[in-house]
Amino acid sequence: MASKLIISCAVLGAELTKNSYPSLPVTPEELSQSAIEAVNAGASIIHLHVRDKAQKPSQDKEIFKEVTKLIKNRCDCIIQYSTGGAVGTPVKDRCGPLSLKPEMATLSMGSLNFGNEIFENTEDIIQAINKEIIVNGVMPELEIFDYGMMDTVDRYLKKNILPEKFHVDFVLGVLGGMNGEIKSLTMLTDRLRVGQEWSVAGISKYQLPLTAHAIAMGGHIRVGLEDNIYYRKGELCKNNAQFVERVVRIAKELDRPVASVKEAREILKLT
Ligand code: KMH
Ligand code: ZN
């Protein structure tokens, strides 16, 4: 039987600007408010990127600390720091916030074209971030953008490089990565070890169909402005919570109970 549904919300990302989404939450206050609204709507994981005062993507540990404090002051949730940062962020900076020991952090499992840029994750980069994740006792979420990255996961598992416990997230629909067709998702889930918990983050138009399928397949789901700004074609979403609310409604119709934060920690073996 499928576990209860864990909803993650990627509240900001590194690529989006106020030009394309005017009410983008960027300051610590705006970001924490949006995260809290998402949690109140049913999300139990907040995938976090932050911005500096000039609204530029940042891996500044102090900003992560401030946003984390603002969120935790007002609600309990699992906070997952991005180690992807923005395209081109040096690996040392990408690891910067890990010393704050968040419950979770991302670990991208390979390089890919990211629009017209390259999101670089060489073997050295993956292993350097993985090492910092282990040193700080953080649970990684392996970000899979393309099919071959599952081979890297298998190779690392054979070599015993990865921590014992991890979560897997398929990020599908990046321009340069694997598309978000349903058959992409089923090909990827076929590669997982039995019992491995997984989620899917569908970029843009893929978000809604992948949500419905992941819920039915027993996976978990990530939504949020980092991945998609449109509630439906041509209509910008109101905020992060609106996406989470829709996932909760679909899950209810599909008879899949939504996990509380406590239950999410149990499912992910974070406790
Ligand atoms: N901003 C992307 C280049 C992550 O958060 O770990 C990478 C990213 C992945 O967003
Ligand atoms: Zn991210």
Side-chain angles (χ1 to χ4, degrees):
M1 203 180 97
S3 56
K4 288 192 178 182
L5 177 69
I6 300 172
I7 304 173
S8 299
C9 190
V11 288
L12 170 62
E15 288 73 33
L16 203 56
T17 67
K18 286 198 187 250
N19 290 338
S20 48
Y21 190 80
S23 59
L24 187 69
V26 286
T27 66
E29 290 73 21
E30 290 167 349
L31 256 177
S32 55
Q33 178 61 30
S34 197
I36 291 159
E37 286 167 11
V39 172
N40 289 340
S44 41
I45 301 179
I46 295 296
H47 170 75
L48 192 64
H49 290 251
V50 302
R51 300 285 169 100
D52 64 17
K53 285 200 161 51
Q55 301 184 10
K56 295 269 173 297
S58 171
Q59 290 296 106
D60 183 339
K61 180 178 156 180
E62 293 308 315
I63 309 175
F64 274 89
K65 195 176 185 177
E66 185 183 359
V67 179
T68 301
K69 192 172 159 216
L70 288 171
I71 297 172
K72 295 274 183 176
N73 277 348
R74 289 178 51 207
C75 73
D76 181 32
C77 64
I78 299 161
I79 300 192
Q80 178 192 84
Y81 288 174
S82 169
T83 65
V87 165
T89 308
V91 64
K92 191 165 175 293
D93 295 357
R94 287 171 63 176
C95 292
L98 290 174
S99 62
L100 296 171
K101 305 187 189 304
E103 278 184 275
M104 293 180 82
T106 55
L107 179 62
S108 293
M109 293 307 296
S111 303
L112 74 155
N113 281 353
F114 211 87
N116 201 26
E117 301 178 290
I118 301 174
F119 181 31
E120 210 185 333
N121 294 291
T122 59
E123 295 278 321
D124 281 352
I125 292 175
I126 303 170
Q127 292 188 28
I129 298 173
N130 181 49
K131 204 170 145 203
E132 282 302 304
I133 280 175
I134 293 170
V135 163
N136 288 289
V138 181
M139 179 184 280
E141 176 173 273
L142 311 186
E143 304 296 322
I144 308 296
F145 296 84
D146 213 340
Y147 191 73
M149 294 185 194
M150 289 307 289
D151 294 293
T152 305
V153 174
D154 283 348
R155 194 156 41 83
Y156 283 19
L157 283 171
K158 268 199 202 114
K159 282 190 182 168
N160 219 3
I161 289 176
L162 293 169
E164 193 192 330
K165 294 187 278 185
F166 55 84
H167 187 236
V168 174
D169 182 44
F170 303 114
V171 185
L172 301 182
V174 170
L175 199 68
M178 198 165 179
N179 70 38
E181 303 294 332
I182 306 309
K183 66 178 175 211
S184 299
L185 180 62
T186 53
M187 277 168 70
L188 288 164
T189 55
D190 279 352
R191 297 288 306 270
L192 293 169
R193 293 185 170 192
V194 176
Q196 173 65 53
E197 299 289 341
W198 59 273
S199 62
V200 64
I203 304 300
S204 209
K205 67 175 183 185
Y206 294 117
Q207 191 169 79
L208 186 55
L210 284 173
T211 295
H213 279 80
I215 294 171
M217 287 165 69
H220 306 289
I221 183 77
R222 176 174 117 176
V223 289
L225 292 171
E226 174 168 354
D227 303 332
N228 177 31
I229 57 174
Y230 290 102
Y231 190 72
R232 53 174 71 85
K233 199 167 186 231
E235 181 187 323
L236 284 179
C237 74
K238 289 193 192 118
N239 48 38
N240 279 299
Q242 194 187 21
F243 285 130
V244 177
E245 285 159 6
R246 177 160 66 182
V247 177
V248 170
R249 284 198 302 277
I250 298 170
K252 196 168 179 204
E253 288 297 327
L254 293 174
D255 260 337
R256 180 101 186 266
V258 173
S260 66
V261 177
K262 182 172 176 283
E263 288 165 337
R265 285 198 178 98
E266 285 162 10
I267 294 163
L268 296 175
K269 302 189 173 62
L270 273 164
T271 44

